[in-house]
Amino acid sequence: MAEQENFLSDLTGSFSSPCAENPTVAVMEAAYQHQGIPARYINCDVGKAQLEQAVAGAKAMGWRGFNCSIPNKQAIIEYIDELGTSAKVIGAVNCVIIRDGKLTGENTDGKGFVEALSEQIDIKGKTLALLGAGGAARAIAVESALAGAKEITIINRDKQKGQELVDLINDNTEAKATFTPWTPGLRIDPLPDILVNATSVGLDDANAIPDIETESLESSLFVADVIPNPPQTALLRKAADKGCRTLNGLNMLVNQGALNLTYWFDKEADKEPMRKVLQKLFTG
């Protein structure tokens, strides 16, 4: 007798608004197909007003878990039963795992970045300068500190927001954090070991570049950008021209997808199909 076909898929997805341009669905479905995991990933346009109902629906339908993005990364905490260490410190969740009706919140933004960075440079004992103090910067700062970064400088226009992140690092990790106001044409001085653009400057714009004095960059500096599209931002191109080693945002997205799969299905992810999908989407 032929083996009976199973048409019931495990469900995963994303709750955010807007969501139409979120490429995670392509990344995750490529991974599921490659690894023979009978699952689907669904982008759902869910804002804060619909979040409670969306969470209840995911639990009722037996979802394995879901991602959260703007505007739900902090709002989702109200509906979480347990927070992972970094999510608790960061104060934001972008990956929710559902087990027996219980929700656990993790934050993979910083983890994905630090994992990608660590493939090229050992972060332990290093000094970092972060451009920005938003959600991505918070996650990267916390995870970098937890991974052993010695000193972290937060560069931001909004002093209150920047100082809040400095206090968060100093109060919850062993790293030493300081604040530098972001003034027009800022000179990065003294040079850190690693400079990270954690802002949205450069997203979908190959010519946009953070307002810093790029002539102050030296070849000893490692420059990273969280922007995945275009992969080679104007900042990274300028840094490369100065002899700096660089890191784009593609591997950060790949690592986040791999962490999703591991959290939801307790399997080690094969990153190659994820990487291929993103390269095709962003570089053609």
Side-chain angles (χ1 to χ4, degrees):
M1 185 176 178
E3 185 177 341
Q4 186 173 348
E5 192 75 28
N6 182 1
F7 294 105
L8 180 64
S9 298
D10 284 318
L11 296 179
T12 60
S14 176
F15 296 161
S16 63
S17 185
C19 69
E21 296 182 356
N22 183 357
T24 308
V25 58
V27 172
M28 296 309 302
E29 295 232 327
Y32 295 159
Q33 184 175 3
H34 177 77
Q35 294 189 230
I37 298 172
R40 301 303 305 268
Y41 188 99
I42 307 166
N43 266 350
C44 301
D45 197 322
V46 175
K48 290 182 182 179
Q50 302 85 32
L51 188 56
E52 182 176 10
Q53 291 174 304
V55 170
K59 290 171 66 175
M61 291 186 285
W63 282 39
R64 287 283 190 135
F66 54 87
N67 292 125
C68 278
S69 192
I70 296 172
N72 300 321
K73 288 186 179 184
Q74 292 177 308
I76 188 65
I77 293 176
E78 181 180 347
Y79 311 108
I80 297 291
D81 298 299
E82 185 177 341
L83 290 174
T85 301
S86 59
K88 188 179 298 183
V89 174
I90 295 164
V93 166
N94 74 334
C95 182
V96 176
I97 303 97
I98 304 176
R99 291 287 185 276
D100 301 320
K102 179 181 177 182
L103 275 64
T104 301
E106 297 282 355
N107 192 304
T108 65
D109 283 335
K111 288 184 174 71
F113 173 83
V114 169
E115 187 177 335
L117 185 66
S118 298
E119 292 170 359
Q120 297 195 39
I121 183 172
D122 185 1
I123 199 171
K124 195 168 184 178
K126 297 294 192 299
T127 59
L128 275 75
L130 275 171
L131 301 176
R138 287 173 70 90
I140 289 170
V142 168
E143 291 294 349
S144 296
L146 294 176
K150 180 174 66 174
E151 296 179 9
I152 300 175
T153 300
I154 305 301
I155 301 170
N156 199 57
R157 288 186 173 85
D158 185 326
K159 181 178 180 180
Q160 181 179 344
K161 196 171 184 180
Q163 190 60 49
E164 284 176 358
L165 180 50
V166 166
D167 294 341
L168 181 73
I169 298 302
N170 287 333
D171 293 345
N172 293 278
T173 77
E174 295 181 4
K176 177 186 176 183
T178 56
F179 172 74
T180 293
W182 194 342
T183 53
L186 179 72
R187 181 180 179 85
I188 308 299
D189 184 34
L191 277 179
D193 296 311
I194 303 166
L195 173 67
V196 183
N197 174 35
T199 75
S200 59
V201 177
L203 182 63
D204 297 324
D205 187 342
N207 296 314
I209 190 167
D211 188 8
I212 62 172
E213 186 184 319
T214 55
E215 291 304 315
S216 67
L217 306 183
E218 297 180 4
S219 60
S220 60
L221 182 65
F222 190 103
V223 181
D225 203 323
V226 301
I227 300 297
N229 185 28
Q232 291 307 116
T233 61
L235 174 63
L236 295 186
R237 296 197 306 272
K238 186 67 175 180
D241 288 343
K242 302 288 286 184
C244 305
R245 288 187 292 159
T246 64
L247 173 70
N248 65 40
L250 282 181
N251 280 347
M252 178 178 170
L253 277 185
V254 169
N255 292 339
Q256 287 176 314
L259 286 166
N260 286 339
L261 192 147
T262 300
Y263 278 135
W264 295 333
F265 295 98
D266 298 317
K267 294 178 183 289
E268 184 175 347
D270 185 343
K271 298 179 183 178
E272 195 54 33
M274 300 181 183
R275 190 173 288 111
K276 285 181 178 179
V277 166
L278 285 175
Q279 287 173 339
K280 186 175 181 181
L281 284 173
F282 295 150
T283 63

